[in-house]
Amino acid sequence: MKIEQIYTGCLAQGAYYIISNGEAAIIDPLRETQPYINRLEKDNVKLTYIFETHFHADFVSGHIDLSKQTGAAIVYGPTAKTEFDAVIAYDNQIFKIGNVKIKVLHTPGHTMESTSYLLIDEYGAERALFSGDTLFLGDVGRPDLAQKSEDMTREDLAGLLYDSLYQKIIPLNDEIIVYPAHGAGSACGKNMQKETMDTLGNQKKTNYALNQKDKESFIRSVTDGLLPPPAYFGMNVTMNKKGYRNFDQVLSNGLRALSPEKFEEMAEISNALTLDTRNHRNFARGFVPQSVNIGLDGDFAPWVGTLIVDVNQPIILITDENQEKEAITRLSRVGFDNILGFLKGGFEAWKNGGKEIDTVHCISAQQFEQEIKDREVKIIDVRKESEYQAEHVNEAYNKPLAYINDWINQAGHERHFYLHCAGGYRSMMAASILQAGGYRNFTEIEGGFKAIAETAIPTSDFLCQSRILNIN
């Protein structure tokens, strides 16, 4: 028997590959299937089952394409309803993979169909729990993502989650290894540990959700502090339920190489978004006007899903050399399949073709210190509220990047403002969106708060609520 965790840092997502005696199973696969096919061929095993823990909201699973390529059955837990062929398992049903067994544990709460899978080895010992979004390390799945058709409040779901955890998971042996669907950085939880696997016994000791005195306190603790889910979550759920375009077709369409002239024409006639995936500092020095910068060198896919409100939005890409395939793959993982092509030769081809170029006005933290000395200025901090509360520049307003589509119209075109995040990745995204929206009255701070903290600029951990809510 072999268990392999296939972890994708950009999504903080874990898929699982299990083999035993010539057969294999995959749990929660990503959209691109070729890496799994390569593993199966290398190990000379047959894929028997594709297990899905639930209808994922934060990424599009590869279950449909993988099933078509291998003939493996797709398995969901009780109550799941799909528009493609799938095995809807019953609670405690057993599936055999070679000499091992997978036992279905219906664990609703994160969603109604949420299911955990218990692996029983060839000797009959319970060895591993693939807990999906039911149980994370240090946290549990948020109970506010069920579809509206379920007619359940988040408190209702939290109550079901309590029953699932306390009746089905906590009674299991402490030695069982917990393999969750996500780790730290995922928007599917709020308090995840950085580790990606742990014993159930250690989670019983350290996970706050598994140490509540009663159901009422559990419901309060898991619903407290939940931020609104990103807009793309609902669209990804729909794709996972109903189906999606073949990934190879998406990749082929996206790999259309466009000359600067064709690129410019495509932007005009298709109403496509120009997405520049280069490093944020390179972007600041020069970019195609109206481009939005979301760098591949950060949490690219989740930020795309958060900032671009429609997964059907036509997109044309600007990437570093030979990075277009990576960009298309990551976009498809969160359901953005309408990619019309990429700029052949990248930004250099655009510049060498004599096309119009834009830049972002940036200054160092040291220059920022001099410019604001003894002056009343407007500063916008686009970090998360928790980061702002921990420490921030005195008098700065907190407007998290995740909600820029809500607050951008409040920024104002008249008064100049300074813009920063923690290190520059997020503030450059904000800067590109602001400039695409016609704002030129701001300056971005290179190095963000990390660089600012090394100056003598006064900072505070005092939370001024009015400066979080109102930037006028």
Side-chain angles (χ1 to χ4, degrees), residues 42-89:
K42 179 183 176 182
D43 294 329
N44 192 29
V45 293
K46 174 180 173 57
L47 184 64
T48 307
Y49 295 109
I50 302 161
F51 292 100
E52 290 286 353
T53 56
H54 63 296
F55 294 120
H56 305 283
D58 60 311
F59 72 97
V60 178
S61 179
H63 53 306
I64 296 174
D65 282 350
L66 192 56
S67 177
K68 288 178 180 177
Q69 290 173 274
T70 64
I74 302 170
V75 180
Y76 278 92
T79 77
K81 296 178 182 179
T82 69
E83 295 189 14
F84 48 84
D85 290 338
V87 176
I88 308 303

Side-chain angles (χ1 to χ4, degrees), residues 12 35-37 68 71 132 148 163 166 181 185 195 247 258 260 270 278 332 337 340 346 351 357 373 375 389 399 469:
Y36 307 119
I37 301 297
K68 288 178 180 177
K148 292 179 180 178
D163 294 338
Y166 281 74
E195 293 80 13
F247 171 73
L258 305 172
S270 65
R278 295 176 297 148
S332 73
D337 290 354
L340 307 181
K351 184 171 67 174
I357 292 171
K373 199 170 186 179
R375 290 178 54 208
Q389 290 183 16
K399 302 304 292 182
L469 299 176

Side-chain angles (χ1 to χ4, degrees), residues 193-251:
Q193 298 167 353
K194 66 180 186 299
E195 293 80 13
T196 60
M197 63 184 76
D198 193 12
T199 64
L200 180 57
N202 192 51
Q203 284 304 299
K204 291 177 186 179
K205 295 176 183 176
T206 61
N207 191 319
Y208 79 95
L210 303 186
N211 288 279
Q212 298 298 314
K213 62 180 181 179
D214 54 34
K215 181 183 280 192
E216 288 70 26
S217 63
F218 176 90
I219 292 172
R220 286 194 301 270
S221 67
V222 301
T223 56
D224 181 54
L226 288 176
L227 297 174
Y232 76 102
F233 271 26
M235 291 177 275
N236 277 198
V237 169
T238 299
M239 293 175 73
N240 283 318
K241 278 186 174 183
K242 295 186 175 183
Y244 45 74
R245 293 165 63 188
N246 177 270
F247 171 73
D248 290 337
Q249 179 187 350
V250 173
L251 185 61

Side-chain angles (χ1 to χ4, degrees), residues 10 62 67 111 130 163 168 208 225 248 260-261 324 398 401 428:
C10 181
S67 177
T111 62
F130 303 95
D163 294 338
K168 291 193 174 182
Y208 79 95
D248 290 337
E261 290 72 28
E324 54 273 2
N398 181 224
L401 172 64
M428 194 56 64

Side-chain angles (χ1 to χ4, degrees), residues 2-65:
K2 170 186 171 184
I3 300 173
E4 180 183 356
Q5 182 184 66
I6 306 170
Y7 199 79
T8 304
C10 181
L11 290 173
Q13 188 269 347
Y16 297 94
Y17 174 60
I18 304 160
I19 58 175
S20 173
N21 194 27
E23 295 186 341
I26 293 175
I27 299 174
D28 292 339
L30 281 184
R31 180 79 178 273
E32 64 275 19
T33 59
Q34 194 57 47
Y36 307 119
I37 301 297
N38 293 345
R39 279 175 168 81
L40 294 166
E41 292 176 350
K42 179 183 176 182
D43 294 329
N44 192 29
V45 293
K46 174 180 173 57
L47 184 64
T48 307
Y49 295 109
I50 302 161
F51 292 100
E52 290 286 353
T53 56
H54 63 296
F55 294 120
H56 305 283
D58 60 311
F59 72 97
V60 178
S61 179
H63 53 306
I64 296 174
D65 282 350

Side-chain angles (χ1 to χ4, degrees), residues 171-415:
L172 297 173
N173 296 326
D174 288 355
E175 294 76 19
I176 287 173
I177 303 297
V178 177
Y179 292 104
H182 293 291
S186 169
C188 293
K190 59 183 180 180
N191 192 45
M192 294 186 223
Q193 298 167 353
K194 66 180 186 299
E195 293 80 13
T196 60
M197 63 184 76
D198 193 12
T199 64
L200 180 57
N202 192 51
Q203 284 304 299
K204 291 177 186 179
K205 295 176 183 176
T206 61
N207 191 319
Y208 79 95
L210 303 186
N211 288 279
Q212 298 298 314
K213 62 180 181 179
D214 54 34
K215 181 183 280 192
E216 288 70 26
S217 63
F218 176 90
I219 292 172
R220 286 194 301 270
S221 67
V222 301
T223 56
D224 181 54
L226 288 176
L227 297 174
Y232 76 102
F233 271 26
M235 291 177 275
N236 277 198
V237 169
T238 299
M239 293 175 73
N240 283 318
K241 278 186 174 183
K242 295 186 175 183
Y244 45 74
R245 293 165 63 188
N246 177 270
F247 171 73
D248 290 337
Q249 179 187 350
V250 173
L251 185 61
S252 176
N253 291 343
L255 287 176
R256 284 193 289 246
L258 305 172
S259 67
E261 290 72 28
K262 284 289 185 183
F263 190 88
E264 191 171 35
E265 179 182 337
M266 185 73 77
E268 292 177 358
I269 65 175
S270 65
N271 197 30
L273 171 72
T274 302
L275 181 61
D276 191 321
T277 69
R278 295 176 297 148
N279 173 271
H280 61 282
R281 286 295 147 219
N282 293 335
F283 176 86
R285 289 191 287 268
F287 59 91
V288 175
Q290 301 299 302
S291 298
V292 169
N293 175 236
I294 305 177
L296 274 176
D297 55 351
D299 291 335
F300 174 74
W303 277 119
V304 167
T306 299
L307 299 176
I308 304 174
V309 296
D310 183 4
V311 296
N312 297 310
Q313 169 68 51
I315 293 172
I316 48 179
L317 289 170
I318 300 172
T319 71
D320 286 324
E321 187 176 5
N322 298 322
Q323 288 295 300
E324 54 273 2
K325 182 176 180 180
E326 179 70 13
I328 296 163
T329 299
R330 292 201 198 180
L331 284 166
S332 73
R333 288 174 183 167
V334 288
F336 287 81
D337 290 354
N338 197 8
I339 307 154
L340 307 181
F342 70 96
L343 179 59
K344 184 178 182 181
F347 177 71
E348 289 301 311
W350 181 271
K351 184 171 67 174
N352 293 337
K355 300 291 187 180
E356 181 183 356
I357 292 171
D358 203 353
T359 61
V360 174
H361 181 230
C362 307
I363 60 173
S364 68
Q366 291 74 23
Q367 187 176 344
F368 176 51
E369 181 180 17
Q370 294 303 312
E371 289 192 10
I372 68 173
K373 199 170 186 179
D374 301 323
R375 290 178 54 208
E376 183 179 340
V377 296
K378 182 178 176 180
I379 304 165
I380 295 181
D381 180 339
V382 299
R383 295 176 300 160
K384 292 186 292 186
E385 185 176 330
S386 59
E387 295 173 275
Y388 176 86
Q389 290 183 16
E391 188 178 12
H392 58 267
V393 176
N394 286 354
E395 305 305 318
Y397 298 95
N398 181 224
K399 302 304 292 182
L401 172 64
Y403 310 116
I404 190 170
N405 293 318
D406 297 327
W407 62 256
I408 187 170
N409 292 330
Q410 302 172 22
H413 290 273
E414 294 77 24
R415 185 181 176 189

